[in-house]
Amino acid sequence: MMEPTHDEAHAGALGSRLNWLRAAVLGANDGIVSTAGLVVGVAGATTARSTLLTAGLAGLLAGSMSMAAGEYVSVSTQRDSEKAALAMERRELREQPEAELEELTELLEDRGLSREVAREAAVQLTARDALRAHARVELGIDPDALTNPWHAASASFLAFTVGALLPLLAIVLPPAALRLWVTVLSVLAALVVTGGASARLGAAAPGRAVLRNVVGGALAMGVTYAAGTLLGAAGV
């Protein structure tokens, strides 16, 4: 009886790691695209390294803080919902245990077990830990692994920052004549990597994911550079 629990723990841990990796890749991708669009747009209006650095650093900090705050609020709401669902389930188990046992039996039947086997499994699961059984089977929640808003916020902040550092460094370190090309090429190369990584984590075909990522990033840089060039030419 211990082996399925062992396998389930490994499966849950793997799923959690994949979710964190996917979030990290997407956060880094957002940092790359948004910061690249910002610094390339400013580069269209001026070649002053201090201005580019200021704009890029401001974009990095604003973007990373925004990502962290948004993720914290989102995950906090999810955690509150999970806690509320568990509290309701706990109350129902206390007030109407027979009805909950029948509900668990029917849920296990829906998963392909015969009535007799489902009933026996429901009885054993209830005897072992009724709340955990209903949380996992009925709600799809692991009571021991509720989402952590601080972990999510920290991961988003770090991922965005790492991604944003690439275009920021690419636009300020090279000589003025090479800045734009170095930034564009390095950003597109990074988008190939993040697009391929997100496709692999999602078990999707990498070709389309990479193409969408590269086209989106190139479009963002092209639009902001054109806007910066027009504003620079107008003396704004």
Side-chain angles (χ1 to χ4, degrees):
M1 294 297 295
M2 295 300 295
E3 188 64 25
T5 303
H6 181 73
D7 291 342
E8 183 177 335
H10 279 290
L14 177 60
S16 177
R17 285 196 297 271
L18 288 176
N19 286 335
W20 280 110
L21 285 171
R22 188 176 295 110
V25 169
L26 293 176
N29 194 80
D30 287 343
I32 293 169
V33 174
S34 60
T35 306
L38 176 61
V39 297
V40 168
V42 175
T46 180
T47 59
R49 178 179 277 111
S50 60
T51 302
L52 294 170
L53 177 60
T54 300
L57 188 58
L60 183 154
L61 293 174
S64 59
M65 293 300 295
S66 176
M67 286 283 291
E71 195 70 12
Y72 179 83
V73 171
S74 175
V75 175
S76 293
T77 301
Q78 179 183 343
R79 185 183 179 89
D80 291 342
S81 299
E82 291 172 343
K83 286 184 174 181
L86 289 173
M88 179 179 294
E89 197 63 40
R90 188 179 292 109
R91 184 174 65 252
E92 291 175 348
L93 286 167
R94 183 176 61 252
E95 296 176 353
Q96 42 189 354
E98 288 301 321
E100 289 298 297
L101 179 60
E102 177 60 26
E103 181 182 36
L104 183 58
T105 300
E106 292 176 354
L107 288 170
L108 292 173
E109 278 189 275
D110 291 341
R111 296 192 175 191
L113 299 181
S114 67
R115 173 70 184 182
E116 293 75 15
V117 174
R119 184 69 176 187
E120 178 62 23
V123 169
Q124 292 190 26
L125 288 171
T126 299
R128 182 176 183 180
D129 192 327
L131 180 61
R132 179 175 281 102
H134 280 267
R136 290 180 172 176
V137 177
E138 180 182 348
L139 304 176
I141 297 174
D142 184 351
D144 299 323
L146 296 182
T147 52
N148 189 312
W150 287 109
H151 290 172
S154 300
S156 294
F157 179 88
L158 290 174
F160 188 97
T161 300
V162 170
L165 280 174
L166 173 67
L168 175 58
L169 295 176
I171 202 71
V172 299
L173 293 182
L178 299 177
R179 284 175 191 163
L180 185 61
W181 288 110
V182 169
T183 302
V184 170
L185 292 177
S186 61
V187 165
L188 293 181
L191 292 178
V192 170
V193 174
T194 57
S198 63
R200 180 177 293 274
L201 290 171
R208 290 184 178 180
V210 169
L211 181 61
R212 287 194 299 264
N213 220 29
V214 170
V215 170
L219 184 62
M221 289 186 289
V223 169
T224 56
Y225 182 75
T229 301
L230 291 174
L231 290 173
V236 178

